[in-house]
Amino acid sequence: MSEEPVKKPTNFIRHIIDADLENGKNEGRITTRFPPEPNGYLHIGHAKSIVLNFGIAEDYNGRCNLRFDDTNPHKENSEFVEAIKADVHWLGCDPKENIFFASDYFEKLFAYAVELIKKGKAYVCDLSAEQIREYRGTLTQAGKNSSYRDRSVEENLTLFNAMRNGDFADGEKVLRAKIDMSSGNINLRDPTIYRVRHGIVHHQTGSQWCIYPMYDYTHCISDALEGITHSLCTLEFEDHRPLYNWFLEQLDVPHHPRQIEFSRLTLEHTVTSKRKLSELVEQGFVEGWDDPRMPTIAGMRRRGYSAASIREFCNRIGVTKAHNVVEMAMLEDCIRSDLNDNAPRRMAVLNPLKVVITNYDDSKVEDLLSANHPQNEEFGKRSIPFCNEIYIDRSDFAEVPPKKYKRLIPGGEVRLRNAYVIRCDEMIKDEQGELIELRCSVDADTLGKNPEGRKVKGVIHWVSAKHGISAEVRLFDRLFSHPTPDNTKDGSDYTAHINPEALRTLSHCVLENSLASAEIGQGFQFEREGYFCLDPAKTADGRPVFNRTITLRDVWAKMQSK
Ligand code: ATP
Ligand code: MG
């Protein structure tokens, strides 16, 4: 293959970085990070952030940390930690040894909290969570000061240490930053920075702590401790930036990162909120986080999307500050074009109809060769056994053909792909009148060439009944039929828009025998049917299960234009 120069993405964040480098900031060093909370599996939205952060590190000879922002231990666990590591790695982004946990900094974060108290910038507050909410005020109304706001430094230090020692129950006391209860930015109205949580076994720190720092406080200090030069996050954190800056200005931290916000990825026909995805799992709408219908990285991998095509998608959508909803067709285009270039061609009959070839010796087996990839002759080349019993797809025969039907009809001819032309001579039906078999005859002169003087328009796929392997095939489609399931005009719940057709299981499929050696991770084009791959989880008992990755063409676009 020719080596095309890879076009590097450009976007407003890279422009800011270029300018920072020109101005000699951070001694020319670029460090980014991807900071997931390990409270779920990563989804396609995270992929955008991963590709952005790791891509910048790579292109600027910098580094990108994978840091788990693990301050909410009751929702987190090590299954999520391991899944996130595996997904980032699979996407082709390698944090190398730079994997960190915010919990690595708990001791330092505690010391910084003590520093805030000593500077008169934090206080222990006894208000209940409900009172704190009440006192906070609203967007149009200033908050009011807590009566505990003016505790002395000594008293605060004693109480904060007692919180750490476990002297108080959950919710009895919190540590709050002392900023401004009348600030126009609610985030600056004395936010809580530490809370008491007893009885939690944290996946990293065990039972060592009974107080936990809040996300906002932890996040900006973790970035500072790691020397992050450009802290890239989604737009909802724009209003938190003044708070992050406030913490970093009060404290003697080694570094002050520059935060830049960009818009989240919202993708049609799916949801990209971990809360909603975990509801889908917990309420049994899907089989798990890696269900191939899920927009999770693990789900997409299992469905047969390649890492390269997901990265290509992330680069195509670009990075801006504008809110927009990306069409599912764009992701599907990336998947399809990757598979078109890389998936070997195979034949598989999903709804089998037996065909007996009456004029073909029943002990004869021919080895037919196929090479039918548009770009590469060798690609998809394999031998295909042909004999007197084959399967074709039920939809490729019509007793009463609709208009323009080019496939097999009683008395008509059709070409078997990679093989002969056959003619349908007889239909065999059972007592109920159900068609169970066709009797056909083969034209021995038509292997690899057209019959003289006759036009055979239709070409259908087939599999030898004596050699084919039996399999289950699962046809996946978009998880939601509504383009924006969590933002509908009628305010309906997103679960009301789950597409019941998103999974259809076909249990009696027949695949050409070369697919017996299919490997997990390899995509195939089943000719005329779509792109498929072996399901790693379902195939354990010997009978293969194939997942449909994607259809050959965008059937949704066709439906919408109708
Ligand atoms: P969710 O809202 O799904 O729970 P989150 O933002 O809470 O996601 P985190 O684990 O905190 O999940 O996300 C890690 C990083 O990924 C953050 O920097 C966040 O900004 C980014 N991210 C999350 N969702 C998206 C998205 N849809 N598009 C782009 N970046 C995202
Ligand atoms: Mg978050």
Side-chain angles (χ1 to χ4, degrees), residues 297-496:
I297 299 188
M300 294 189 291
R301 172 169 63 235
R302 190 167 158 195
R303 178 153 165 177
Y305 292 12
S306 72
S309 55
I310 296 174
R311 288 197 306 266
E312 166 66 18
F313 167 73
C314 293
N315 287 325
R316 261 199 224 175
I317 55 175
V319 178
T320 68
K321 275 185 178 289
H323 287 289
N324 65 335
V325 185
V326 174
E327 286 182 10
M328 189 54 129
M330 192 150 163
L331 173 61
E332 291 173 346
D333 259 3
C334 296
I335 310 303
R336 216 175 258 126
S337 96
D338 174 58
L339 286 165
N340 183 45
D341 292 347
N342 296 305
R345 275 44 174 175
R346 293 290 182 267
M347 293 198 287
V349 175
L350 304 189
N351 293 299
L353 173 63
K354 183 90 166 275
V355 172
V356 175
I357 308 207
T358 49
N359 64 342
Y360 196 88
D361 185 346
D362 67 359
S363 61
K364 185 173 167 187
V365 177
E366 264 183 295
D367 239 351
L368 307 180
L369 262 190
S370 166
N372 49 27
H373 188 269
Q375 273 92 44
N376 181 350
E377 283 268 296
E378 286 303 307
F379 199 69
K381 197 168 191 172
R382 76 281 184 197
S383 72
I384 310 170
F386 183 80
C387 63
N388 73 320
E389 286 181 16
I390 62 170
Y391 288 113
I392 66 168
D393 200 273
R394 283 193 170 258
S395 65
D396 285 333
F397 174 79
E399 186 173 356
V400 184
K403 258 187 208 155
K404 292 189 188 161
Y405 190 77
K406 293 201 190 87
R407 294 163 272 168
L408 197 58
I409 57 173
E413 285 186 322
V414 79
R415 169 169 289 284
L416 296 176
R417 181 138 180 98
N418 303 309
Y420 299 95
V421 170
I422 54 168
R423 188 185 62 228
C424 175
D425 305 316
E426 194 184 341
M427 292 180 288
I428 310 289
K429 295 183 174 176
D430 65 11
E431 283 158 11
Q432 281 80 43
E434 283 282 323
L435 179 64
I436 48 173
E437 191 181 298
L438 295 178
R439 299 276 158 92
C440 295
S441 47
V442 68
D443 183 339
D445 259 355
T446 54
L447 185 60
K449 60 174 192 221
N450 269 322
E452 222 157 276
R454 303 195 322 264
K455 270 213 174 111
V456 179
K457 283 210 188 115
V459 180
I460 64 173
H461 61 281
W462 57 278
V463 169
S464 158
K466 292 178 183 166
H467 302 84
I469 52 175
S470 138
E472 179 178 303
V473 171
R474 307 197 297 163
L475 302 180
F476 292 106
D477 204 343
R478 296 175 180 178
L479 182 52
F480 294 94
S481 26
H482 197 291
T484 53
D486 50 3
N487 186 19
T488 55
K489 287 208 178 91
D490 62 6
S492 51
D493 187 68
Y494 71 100
T495 55

Side-chain angles (χ1 to χ4, degrees), residues 35 37 215 236-237 264 274:
E37 298 178 50
Y215 179 86
E236 68 269 26
F237 293 103
R264 302 173 71 83
K274 265 191 285 187

